[in-house]
Each structure stands twice: as structure tokens, then as C-alpha cells.
Amino acid sequence: MKVYELLAFNKELLKRIHLAGLRTDDYKYVDLYNEYIERLNTGDKVTYIVAILATKYDVSERQVYNIVHKFGREVFTAKAVQ
């Protein structure tokens, strides 16, 4: 498959991701966010969760907070959710 074919096949999805203000490499943090939510639901403290996830996923604690904030927000871009 050529690069063009892959982009053409996924054009609508990529457009929605772009319009929502996301980056295509944000997919790397989906597991981090899932684990954050699971730990939060079991009653762990946020600062503890952030410290554990920062170490586990080899990112800074600030980056974990940024990811949680970004992934937890609603997508209001009308074009992104059409």
C-alpha cells in the first residue's frame, strides 16, 4: 500500500481528528488514559496515579496531566462530529 492510498482511505477520520485539535500520535496515550480512569475509579489519589503512570509510560508528570486533560474534554467542533 502506498502512502497516498493509506491517507485517502482514512481521509475522513484524519480530518475529524485534526478538526478536534488532536494529533495523530496521541493514540500512544490511550492505554495511559484507560489506566488513569481505572485507578481513579478504584479510589487511588490523583497525584499517586500520575506518579505511577509517568514512570510506567516514561513521560513527565506534567505530560500525564496534559494527556488526562486533553482526553477528558468534550469535542465540540461541529465538523469533527458530523
Side-chain angles (χ1 to χ4, degrees), residues 40-55:
L40 194 62
N41 289 336
T42 62
D44 290 347
K45 302 283 186 192
V46 171
T47 52
Y48 172 74
I49 298 169
V50 169
I52 294 296
L53 295 178
T55 301

Side-chain angles (χ1 to χ4, degrees), residues 6-46:
L6 182 62
L7 289 172
F9 181 73
N10 292 294
K11 180 182 172 187
E12 288 301 317
L13 175 61
L14 291 168
K15 181 179 177 182
R16 289 176 192 218
I17 289 170
H18 174 73
L19 290 173
L22 301 174
R23 296 175 22 191
T24 54
D25 64 345
D26 284 341
Y27 77 91
K28 297 184 290 188
Y29 305 116
V30 170
D31 292 337
L32 181 151
Y33 186 75
N34 283 336
E35 189 169 342
Y36 173 84
I37 295 300
E38 288 172 9
R39 287 177 175 269
L40 194 62
N41 289 336
T42 62
D44 290 347
K45 302 283 186 192
V46 171

